[in-house]
Amino acid sequence: LQDGAASRRAAGFVLLFRSALLFLGSPAKAQQIDITVNVQQARTLLDIACSGEAIDTQRSKQSATLQAQIAHHSQFGERFSLENYLKGLADAARCQVPEADPFRFASLVEKRENMLEAITYLSENEAQIGAEVAAILAPYTPADFTFSGEVIFLAASFSCGGFYSAGAFFVDI
């Protein structure tokens, strides 16, 4: 009789537990925030600046990152065109500051050491920076929030304070 009572209580507990789960709904997903830091565009521009190399304009025009950047910046005026970007890049490759420099290529030429230091720091700490930003955001997001995104650091950019486009956040150095 004792064993029968115990098994009925156990069965009742299981039934109660299952009912509670149905009432409460499925368990919430755990919060997950993944932020990838991308410094590749900045490293590439630093390598091009003062290199004396010819610019591969076709490759540049096909860059999704550059297309998103131009699409955003062009809303601020005609001077933020792909043609002006490519001209500025060609001037920077020759170690010259563009006469009209809406994308601020001058920093890659005149402040090369500072840019190298900043880009090196960002490159060496990409994972740590992404994790720290995710940790900062976590208290302000719901417990079941999930996000996966990218932050792209730009070495030649009109300083508009940063923007979101094509699935990524863009921030100028």
Side-chain angles (χ1 to χ4, degrees):
L1 197 61
Q2 286 262 30
D3 289 337
S7 65
R8 282 192 302 275
R9 275 194 302 248
F13 178 78
V14 169
L15 184 61
L16 180 64
F17 182 74
R18 285 184 178 168
S19 298
L21 283 179
L22 288 173
F23 177 74
L24 295 173
S26 61
K29 291 191 249 175
Q31 186 182 58
Q32 183 175 347
I33 303 173
D34 295 313
I35 298 175
T36 303
V37 174
N38 181 337
V39 189
Q40 184 57 49
Q41 190 260 18
R43 283 192 301 256
T44 298
L45 290 186
L46 186 64
D47 289 344
I48 291 171
C50 298
S51 68
E53 294 179 13
I55 303 305
D56 183 348
T57 57
Q58 275 310 109
R59 182 174 175 208
S60 295
K61 288 178 181 180
Q62 293 172 353
S63 164
T65 300
L66 182 55
Q67 289 174 12
Q69 180 182 357
I70 298 299
H72 173 75
H73 286 149
S74 64
Q75 69 183 326
F76 298 110
E78 290 179 16
R79 67 185 186 275
F80 299 106
S81 65
L82 178 61
E83 293 74 25
N84 282 341
Y85 184 94
L86 294 174
K87 182 182 178 327
L89 183 58
D91 286 347
R94 292 188 301 271
C95 219
Q96 298 173 356
V97 174
E99 188 174 315
D101 193 18
F103 293 101
R104 303 179 333 152
F105 282 97
S107 294
L108 290 166
V109 175
E110 296 176 337
K111 298 178 182 177
R112 187 169 177 72
E113 288 303 314
N114 293 355
M115 292 297 282
L116 175 61
E117 184 179 331
I119 292 167
T120 299
Y121 174 83
L122 293 168
S123 295
E124 291 173 352
N125 295 284
E126 286 176 337
Q128 179 183 348
I129 293 167
E132 288 177 7
V133 171
I136 290 168
L137 294 174
Y140 303 100
T141 58
D144 63 347
F145 182 76
T146 59
F147 174 81
S148 182
E150 182 176 39
V151 175
I152 299 174
F153 282 95
L154 301 172
S157 172
F158 165 64
S159 186
C160 64
F163 61 95
Y164 179 81
S165 179
F169 291 95
F170 291 75
V171 181
D172 65 316
I173 298 174

